């Protein structure tokens, strides 16, 4: 008889662990700052050259440095990856604005130097462009900072979910172990109670059959 069998406990299963969120942009604000800084410094120097009425050669040499720095930044932004296509678009647009400012400023200073700094209106609009460079650089940084913050928030949510998952997995393991222990005990108890009964019942008939046959 199946008196000795006890149904095994149901195993508590825990779902899969949460996956870590990917960064919206592979660039951090720090990365961008590192490459924007040389451009901003060079722009500041170029503004100084404009105010000092520097010679066209000096201006051209400074512009060459700026172009090289902007290229480095361009490469970095072009190569940016990440989970957010939207953020990448925003960054590319902010960079185009920034680059446009830098280019118009360089053109303005070069023209001013060529014209012996006689064109007052041209110089004023070039100074305007100088001022815009810093604010458009901030615009670029702003996009990257937004991406940084979004990722930090997503990571915080993920950390909480991961902790919850680990807790649930530990609880399940503990409960499953306890259930298995209890099952083993129940099985042992069932086996113990089944034996004497089986012995009495099973032990009975053979001698009776033997006495009948004799």
């Amino acid at each position: 008889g199946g008196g000795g069998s006890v149904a095994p406990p149901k195993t508590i299963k825990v779902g899969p662990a949460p996956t870590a969120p990917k960064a919206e942009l592979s660039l951090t604000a720090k990365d961008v700052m590192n490459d924007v800084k040389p451009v901003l410094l060079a722009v500041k120097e170029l503004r100084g050259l404009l105010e000092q009425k520097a010679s066209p050669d000096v201006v051209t040499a400074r512009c060459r440095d700026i172009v090289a720095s902007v290229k480095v930044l361009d490469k970095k932004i072009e190569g940016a990856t990440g989970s957010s296509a939207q953020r990448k678009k925003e960054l590319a647009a902010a960079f185009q604005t920034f680059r446009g400012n830098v280019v118009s400023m360089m053109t303005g200073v070069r023209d001013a130097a060529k014209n012996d700094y006689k064109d007052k209106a041209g110089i004023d609009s070039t100074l305007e462009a100088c001022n815009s460079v810093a604010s458009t650089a901030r615009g670029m940084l702003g996009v990257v900072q937004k991406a940084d913050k979004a990722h930090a928030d997503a990571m915080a949510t993920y950390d909480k979910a991961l902790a919850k998952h680990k807790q649930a997995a530990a609880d399940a393991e503990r409960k499953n172990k306890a259930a298995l222990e209890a099952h083993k005990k129940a099985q042992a108890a069932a086996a113990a109670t089944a034996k004497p009964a089986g012995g009495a019942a099973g032990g009975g008939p053979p001698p009776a059959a033997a006495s009948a046959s004799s």
Side-chain angles (χ1 to χ4, degrees):
S5 78
V6 177
K10 273 203 167 68
T11 306
I12 301 166
K13 286 192 173 73
V14 179
T19 46
K22 285 191 167 65
E24 288 195 345
L25 282 176
S26 56
L27 287 175
T28 64
K30 199 174 164 198
D31 294 329
V32 176
M33 261 318 285
N34 286 343
D35 289 322
V36 169
K37 254 191 201 140
V39 181
L40 293 182
L41 283 173
V43 162
K44 212 175 178 178
E45 284 176 27
L46 188 59
R47 187 197 178 117
L49 294 180
L50 177 66
E51 285 160 352
Q52 295 156 22
K53 299 186 163 58
S55 73
D57 294 352
V58 176
V59 168
T60 303
R62 175 49 59 209
C63 287
R64 227 179 268 127
D65 296 343
I66 295 176
V67 170
S69 295
V70 171
K71 265 202 184 116
V72 171
L73 188 59
D74 190 7
K75 236 195 184 125
K76 182 104 4 119
I77 285 167
E78 194 49 51
T81 57
S83 66
S84 172
Q86 174 59 32
R87 208 67 84 185
K88 200 169 183 279
K89 255 190 221 143
E90 285 172 21
L91 181 60
F95 174 69
Q96 291 306 333
T97 310
F98 174 72
R99 186 164 60 188
N101 272 140
V102 173
V103 169
S104 64
M105 182 197 163
M106 288 193 300
T107 309
V109 180
R110 272 202 292 246
D111 289 349
K114 261 190 230 139
N115 302 328
D116 281 337
Y117 302 93
K118 290 191 182 99
D119 175 12
K120 176 91 173 66
I123 289 173
D124 285 346
S125 70
T126 301
L127 287 170
E128 269 305 298
C130 286
N131 296 335
S132 307
V133 170
S135 61
T136 50
R138 276 197 295 277
M140 247 186 335
L141 265 175
V143 174
V144 183
Q145 280 163 340
K146 249 192 265 172
D148 279 354
K149 180 166 180 356
H151 184 56
D153 291 349
M155 277 307 284
T157 305
Y158 161 74
D159 286 340
K160 272 189 201 133
L162 189 62
K164 229 186 209 157
H165 171 76
K166 279 185 177 153
Q167 185 62 53
D171 286 350
E173 195 182 351
R174 201 184 63 240
K175 282 178 185 155
N176 287 337
K177 226 182 197 162
L180 206 60
E181 288 298 315
H183 171 65
K184 274 187 190 150
K185 273 190 188 134
Q187 252 183 337
T193 50
K195 260 187 201 126
S211 64
S213 68
S214 65

